């Protein structure tokens, strides 16, 4: 065990007094390995002292605080190691008893005539109220009781209590708080306060023109705040710092993409622009035309476009992507479009060939199902420039050599990790990059996960899109719903049935449960069970097909083609149909176990049935006992078909990890900031970070050297920031 004077931020936690090797192993589960880790292991909540109440007004079971003098105290031992300490606290409003079991040390501090403040939940014991194990603050004779101490509440692991965490944290604060490096100089902390106030954001207990608290005071106040205003100020300081470091990294990356890289200049004459639009055979919406102009502007610059195109389901993003590809072709450059599934890649490929029906030899498809000879042939045609528009899956990430790649497009970006956004960039080429998302992105996520890109949004839907009616199905609807499905099938329509993502116990068609159904603990068991029930019973008179992600690529393609051609009337599927399946005649969808999907994914699925001229109908069924908050989510889904509104609701209710997938962020987890709660602070520091990098691109100001080091340490590798940036 180290002497307290030798402790440093990098000292292993096991050397803190009272920890040791065994407890250190348990703390490691919380991510606490060093004393610095403990310093920045912030509370998840706080215990605020109960309001002070007169003793004669105490109520059984209602939290309260009482200030008084100890007028009686007794320690009794009933057996070895078993003791009871009891005392009576008295003031002018009455007397109350306090009791502690197996804490004999209380007798040393809670002595006769000692003035104390006690807080807890009293219970009625005979004629007197009693507090068992209350919080106790010993007061000096002239000391005001005040509002009581705000206590931190930390995440715990086995073998630890809040008392342990508070004791360890207080000791480390006493030793190291003043030694912690200050990365935000006073002028910067003052500027943050100024901008927060301009945005009508309360910075807490900060003087009107003063700075956020320095690091040592902020550490004390976020762990052991003296009052609510000091806690707000400390938390605001750490939230602002954490988000500023992130936004500085993104600002540096944005700048590097516009100054360090070179891209082919792709310009379109008015004649070329008009000729490309004529090939579509329909008129673009106002939103599509606006985004096309943004892309035209990007492509004519000498540094690469880095743009995210987000649009609701069915808003026409693919047409905009095709425009960029055709513009590259017209300028004698190649383009590539990467889709998350082979079904979607083939769909894009066929649509491009249809647009270029007069001459489609320059359009190629590369996917994992190609034979060796076919793959070799397409790679050679790409390498020598005969294929100028290439569509494919992740197979595009391997062994593809372009002659002159001008535009790279990634469809359904949420299916790929952040690093894959730039994986198609070659060693000696910097193509323009467009990533697309049919999952509208909450604004605060857009400012972080995609903070290094320009964003375009399409909200309008092309004319002719029909209304989709959404129903949160009730138990008594089951038979009526399947009768409705049969009626639509008899009219010539087609139907999707989406299986639960994970079946909690037994997955089956609502209204057709039995005791011998197969265990539906995973996707495939669930979808196969439902498929069999529909094929053999509920929809036995119709042609039912099965689709899931574990089928071989050629089986999946054959199934989708059969559904698209009408040979299959009912497609029972997992969420493999979520992206890009386009069958205009499919107008009815049943989603089973809907409580197991996020709002954004439900909306993606619903988007499959508004592709044609017939009205769409989707019913969502739940399984198991669904808690009220899950029902509330599904009611939101039922009430609106606005994907942007749903994305924000999903984000508020589930957080960024669940909305986009925990492995998709590509960025370190935030310790104290919350993207939903702190979105207003995020907007402020984003603008501040951009102003700082515009004025000092390499952060050479000596006062910012520690801040610059923190930016590089936290984000340098993930964002490929040069050390000289």
């Amino acid at each position: 065990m180290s002497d307290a004077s030798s402790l440093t931020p990098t000292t292993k936690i096991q050397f803190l007094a009272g920890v040791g090797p065994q407890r250190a192993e348990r703390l490691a589960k919380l991510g606490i390995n060093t004393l610095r880790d403990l310093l920045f292991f912030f509370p998840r909540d706080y215990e605020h002292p109960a309001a002070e109440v007169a003793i004669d007004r105490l109520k059984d079971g209602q939290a309260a605080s009482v200030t008084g003098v100890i007028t009686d105290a007794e320690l009794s031992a009933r057996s070895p190691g078993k003791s009871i300490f009891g005392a009576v606290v008295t003031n002018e409003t009455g007397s109350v008893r306090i009791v502690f079991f197996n804490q004999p040390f209380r007798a040393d501090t809670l002595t006769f005539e000692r003035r104390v403040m006690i807080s807890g939940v009293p219970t009625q014991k005979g004629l007197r109220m009693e507090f068992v194990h209350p919080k106790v603050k010993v007061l000096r004779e002239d000391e005001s009781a005040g509002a009581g101490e705000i206590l931190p509440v930390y995440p715990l692991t086995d073998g630890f209590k809040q008392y342990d965490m508070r004791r360890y944290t207080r000791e480390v604060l006493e030793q190291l708080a003043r030694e912690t490096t200050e990365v935000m100089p006073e002028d910067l902390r003052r500027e943050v306060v100024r901008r927060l106030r301009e945005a009508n954001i309360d910075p807490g207990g900060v003087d009107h023109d003063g700075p956020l608290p320095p690091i040592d005071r902020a550490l004390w106040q976020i762990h052991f705040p003296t009052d609510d205003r000091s806690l707000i100020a400390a938390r605001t300081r750490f939230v602002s710092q954490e988000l500023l470091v992130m936004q500085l990294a993104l600002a540096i990356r944005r700048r590097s993409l516009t100054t360090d890289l070179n891209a082919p200049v792709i310009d379109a004459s008015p004649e070329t622009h008009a000729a490309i639009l004529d090939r579509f055979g329909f008129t673009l919406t106002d939103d599509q035309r606006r985004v096309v102009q943004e892309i035209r502007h990007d492509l004519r610059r000498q540094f690469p476009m880095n743009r995210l195109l987000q649009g609701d389901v069915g808003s026409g993003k693919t047409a905009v992507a095709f425009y960029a590809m055709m513009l590259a072709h017209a300028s004698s450059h190649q383009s590539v479009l990467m889709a998350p599934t082979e079904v979607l890649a083939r769909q894009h490929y066929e649509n491009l060939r249809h647009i270029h029906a007069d001459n489609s030899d320059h359009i190629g498809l590369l996917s994992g199902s190609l034979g060796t000879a076919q793959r070799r042939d397409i790679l050679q045609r790409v390498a020598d420039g005969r294929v100028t528009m290439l569509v494919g899956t992740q197979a595009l990430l391997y062994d593809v050599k372009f002659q002159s790649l001008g535009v790279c497009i990634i469809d359904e970006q949420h299916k790929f990790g952040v690093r894959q956004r730039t994986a198609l960039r070659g060693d000696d080429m910097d193509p323009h990059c467009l990533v697309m998302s049919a999952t509208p992105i909450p604004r605060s996520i857009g400012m972080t996960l995609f903070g290094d890109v320009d964003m375009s949004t399409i909200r309008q839907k092309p004319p002719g899109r029909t209304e989709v009616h959404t129903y949160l199905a009730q138990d008594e609807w089951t038979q009526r719903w399947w009768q409705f499905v049969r009626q639509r099938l008899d009219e010539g329509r087609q139907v999707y049935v989406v299986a639960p993502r994970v079946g909690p116990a037994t997955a089956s068609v609502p209204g057709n449960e039995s005791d011998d159904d197969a265990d539906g603990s995973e996707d495939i068991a669930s979808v196969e069970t439902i498929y069999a029930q529909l094929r053999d019973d509920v929809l036995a008179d119709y042609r039912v097909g099965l689709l899931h992600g574990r089928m071989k690529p050629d089986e999946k393609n054959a199934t989708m083609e059969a559904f698209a051609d009408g040979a299959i009337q009912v497609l029972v599927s997992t969420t493999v149909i979520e992206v890009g399946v386009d069958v205009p005649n499919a107008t009815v969808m049943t989603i089973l176990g809907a409580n197991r999907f996020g709002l954004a994914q439900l909306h993606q699925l619903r988007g499959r049935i508004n592709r044609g001229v017939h009205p769409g109908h989707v019913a969502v069924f739940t399984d198991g006992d669904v808690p009220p908050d899950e029902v509330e989510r599904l009611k939101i889904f039922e009430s609106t078909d606005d994907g942007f509104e749903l994305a924000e609701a999903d984000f508020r209710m589930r957080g960024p990890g669940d909305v986009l997938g925990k492995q998709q962020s590509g960025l370190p987890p935030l310790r104290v900031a919350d993207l939903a709660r702190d979105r207003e602070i995020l907007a402020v520091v984003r603008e501040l970070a951009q102003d700082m990098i515009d004025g000092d691109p390499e952060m050479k100001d000596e006062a910012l050297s520690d801040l610059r080091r923190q930016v590089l340490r936290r984000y340098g590798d993930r964002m490929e920031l040069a050390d000289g940036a």
Side-chain angles (χ1 to χ4, degrees):
M1 188 176 300
S2 298
D3 183 83
S5 62
S6 66
L7 297 178
T8 70
T10 59
T11 298
K12 297 296 184 182
I13 192 67
Q14 73 179 71
F15 297 115
L16 183 65
V19 178
Q22 291 185 341
R23 304 204 99 193
E25 287 183 8
R26 295 175 182 175
L27 287 172
K29 296 178 181 179
L30 297 173
I32 302 173
N33 297 291
T34 67
L35 300 190
R36 176 182 171 82
D37 294 336
L38 186 61
L39 271 183
F40 290 91
F41 188 72
F42 295 138
R44 62 174 174 81
D45 201 355
Y46 297 87
E47 290 182 2
H48 286 72
E52 188 164 2
V53 177
I55 293 175
D56 57 3
R57 292 184 177 275
L58 290 174
K59 294 183 179 180
D60 184 76
Q62 185 170 315
S65 295
V66 170
T67 302
V69 175
I70 295 176
T71 56
D72 189 17
E74 180 182 8
L75 175 64
S76 61
R78 296 186 173 180
S79 61
K82 301 291 185 180
S83 66
I84 299 176
F85 174 77
V88 176
V89 176
T90 303
N91 65 22
E92 64 276 9
T93 65
S95 297
V96 65
R97 179 175 168 80
I98 60 176
V99 178
F100 296 91
F101 296 97
N102 304 320
Q103 294 186 8
F105 63 88
R106 295 288 185 178
D108 297 329
T109 55
L110 303 182
T111 56
F112 185 68
E113 294 188 344
R114 181 64 58 88
R115 188 162 170 265
V116 295
M117 178 179 183
I118 59 174
S119 298
V121 178
T123 56
Q124 186 76 46
K125 292 292 184 180
L127 299 176
R128 177 182 284 170
M129 283 290 185
E130 180 177 276
F131 286 83
V132 178
H133 286 256
K135 295 181 178 64
V136 179
K137 181 180 181 181
V138 178
L139 303 173
R140 297 187 303 273
E141 187 174 341
D142 59 347
E143 182 181 357
S144 170
E149 186 179 11
I150 300 174
L151 295 175
V153 178
Y154 297 97
L156 296 177
T157 188
D158 292 342
F160 285 86
K161 298 180 179 180
Q162 291 297 335
Y163 170 79
D164 299 314
M165 299 299 294
R166 292 164 184 166
R167 177 166 60 88
Y168 295 152
T169 302
R170 191 180 294 274
E171 182 175 343
V172 174
L173 282 168
E174 290 172 348
Q175 297 295 326
L176 299 179
R178 290 188 178 182
E179 308 301 321
T180 305
T181 301
E182 175 61 85
V183 302
M184 294 182 70
E186 182 175 332
D187 287 347
L188 179 56
R189 287 184 278 118
R190 193 182 303 275
E191 177 63 13
V192 172
V193 170
R194 186 186 70 79
R195 294 189 182 221
L196 290 175
R197 292 194 189 281
E198 283 185 352
N200 294 317
I201 300 172
D202 179 15
V206 177
D207 292 341
H208 181 71
D209 57 350
L212 290 170
I215 187 70
D216 56 341
R217 192 192 326 154
L219 281 169
W220 271 106
Q221 292 298 326
I222 201 166
H223 285 289
F224 299 101
T226 53
D227 53 55
D228 287 333
R229 299 293 292 166
S230 297
L231 172 57
I232 293 172
R235 188 187 162 280
T236 301
R237 183 250 153 79
F238 285 115
V239 169
S240 299
Q241 176 179 331
E242 188 168 42
L243 295 178
L244 179 62
V245 167
M246 174 193 289
Q247 292 302 316
L248 284 168
L250 290 165
I252 291 170
R253 177 164 173 76
R254 277 197 302 272
R255 188 172 183 86
S256 71
L257 291 174
T258 60
T259 57
D260 298 341
L261 302 177
N262 292 313
V265 175
I266 299 176
D267 204 356
S269 66
E271 294 77 17
T272 299
H273 173 70
I276 293 174
L277 295 183
D278 285 344
R279 281 192 173 271
F280 286 117
F282 57 82
T283 302
L284 299 184
T285 65
D286 290 343
D287 277 2
Q288 286 175 313
R289 285 197 295 271
R290 173 179 48 76
V291 175
V292 161
Q293 291 303 324
E294 291 171 349
I295 291 174
R296 287 182 68 189
H297 177 265
D298 287 349
L299 295 182
R300 66 169 61 110
R301 297 183 296 182
Q302 66 181 14
F303 49 85
M305 172 178 68
N306 196 31
R307 184 169 291 277
L308 169 65
L309 172 57
Q310 62 169 342
D312 210 341
V313 176
S315 60
K317 299 178 301 300
T318 303
V320 174
F322 285 176
Y323 175 91
M325 297 179 74
M326 289 188 281
L327 186 54
H329 171 74
S331 299
S332 301
H333 292 288
Q334 293 169 296
S335 61
V336 59
L337 192 163
M338 184 164 69
T341 67
E342 183 161 346
V343 170
L344 183 54
R346 284 188 175 276
Q347 182 174 296
H348 289 326
Y349 170 68
E350 295 298 340
N351 287 339
L352 272 174
R353 284 172 56 86
H354 177 73
I355 292 173
H356 294 81
D358 54 330
N359 179 16
S360 60
D361 291 343
H362 61 284
I363 301 171
L365 174 67
L366 183 63
S367 64
S369 65
L370 292 182
T372 302
Q374 291 175 303
R375 179 178 174 83
R376 187 184 303 115
D377 176 66
I378 192 68
L379 289 176
Q380 182 58 51
R381 292 171 59 211
V382 171
D384 61 26
R386 283 178 290 161
V387 168
T388 58
M389 297 184 190
L390 180 63
V391 181
T393 60
Q394 293 196 47
L396 293 168
L397 299 175
Y398 309 102
D399 303 324
V400 183
K401 302 295 182 183
F402 293 91
Q403 185 182 74
S404 178
L405 182 59
V407 174
C408 167
I409 299 170
I410 298 177
D411 194 6
E412 298 299 344
Q413 59 74 28
H414 68 289
K415 296 296 180 183
F416 301 100
V418 171
R419 285 184 176 274
Q420 287 173 293
R421 285 194 279 148
T422 57
L424 290 173
R425 296 183 186 275
D427 295 334
D428 57 351
M429 61 182 70
D430 300 308
H432 299 279
C433 186
L434 176 70
V435 294
M436 300 193 295
S437 172
T439 304
I441 299 165
R443 182 167 177 261
S444 48
I445 290 183
M447 287 189 289
T448 53
L449 183 55
F450 302 103
D452 58 339
V453 306
D454 297 311
M455 296 185 69
S456 294
T457 301
I458 298 178
R459 298 196 70 143
Q460 288 177 307
K461 293 185 178 180
R465 296 289 187 184
T466 56
E467 183 179 2
V468 176
H469 305 278
T470 303
Y471 317 100
L472 175 53
Q474 308 298 319
D475 290 340
E476 63 271 18
W477 288 20
T478 301
Q479 299 305 321
R480 290 169 51 203
W481 173 254
W482 289 116
Q483 180 60 35
F484 175 81
V485 169
R486 288 189 283 268
Q487 290 173 354
R488 300 287 82 77
L489 288 167
D490 291 340
E491 293 174 1
R493 306 287 78 79
Q494 289 168 273
V495 173
Y496 293 104
V497 178
V498 181
R501 180 189 302 182
V502 177
T506 299
S508 61
V509 176
N512 197 48
E513 294 83 355
S514 68
D515 293 335
D516 57 354
D517 284 332
D519 181 4
S521 60
E522 59 176 305
D523 283 356
I524 305 309
S526 173
V527 73
E528 288 180 341
T529 298
I530 292 165
Y531 166 68
Q533 292 174 345
L534 292 175
R535 179 197 59 193
D536 300 335
D537 186 1
V538 181
L539 300 176
D541 296 330
Y542 305 93
R543 299 182 299 277
V544 182
L546 174 66
L547 181 69
H548 59 72
R550 297 186 194 175
M551 295 167 62
K552 294 179 179 179
D554 55 348
E555 292 178 321
K556 287 191 289 186
N557 292 331
T559 300
M560 279 310 308
E561 289 174 5
F563 188 61
D565 294 339
I568 292 175
Q569 294 172 284
V570 180
L571 184 62
V572 183
S573 174
T574 59
T575 56
V576 68
I577 64 164
E578 177 188 354
V579 289
V581 178
D582 191 355
V583 182
N585 192 48
T587 62
V588 179
M589 176 175 287
T590 306
I591 303 177
L592 306 178
N595 49 301
R596 303 182 179 280
F597 301 100
L599 288 177
Q601 191 168 37
L602 288 171
H603 187 57
Q604 283 280 299
L605 292 168
R606 177 168 56 184
R608 299 308 103 212
I609 58 170
N610 71 337
R611 320 299 288 190
V613 297
H614 301 286
H617 302 270
V618 55
V620 292
F621 288 85
T622 60
D623 57 17
D625 295 327
V626 181
D629 59 335
E630 291 296 319
V631 174
E632 183 62 29
R633 282 198 319 112
L634 294 176
K635 286 182 177 179
I636 294 173
F637 175 67
E638 181 185 37
S639 67
T640 181
D641 64 355
D642 186 328
F644 290 88
E645 182 179 336
L646 287 171
E648 291 290 347
D650 213 17
F651 180 59
R652 288 194 305 270
M653 300 181 78
R654 297 201 304 152
D658 287 328
V659 170
L660 290 180
K662 294 184 185 300
Q663 301 304 316
Q664 293 300 317
S665 72
L667 301 178
L670 296 173
R671 293 186 176 184
V672 62
D674 181 284
L675 294 180
R677 180 191 59 206
D678 300 318
R679 64 182 66 194
E680 293 179 341
I681 296 178
L682 173 61
V684 168
V685 299
R686 174 180 167 83
E687 183 177 337
L688 173 59
Q690 190 61 59
D691 289 346
M692 291 172 65
I693 297 304
D694 286 345
D696 183 6
E698 298 181 2
M699 296 183 69
K700 291 183 176 179
D701 186 343
E702 186 62 29
L704 299 177
S705 59
D706 290 319
L707 180 60
R708 178 180 176 279
R709 277 191 286 272
Q710 188 170 107
V711 170
L712 293 175
R713 182 172 59 249
R714 190 157 172 80
Y715 293 102
D717 289 342
R718 288 175 173 86
M719 296 191 186
E720 300 176 353
L721 304 179
D723 190 46

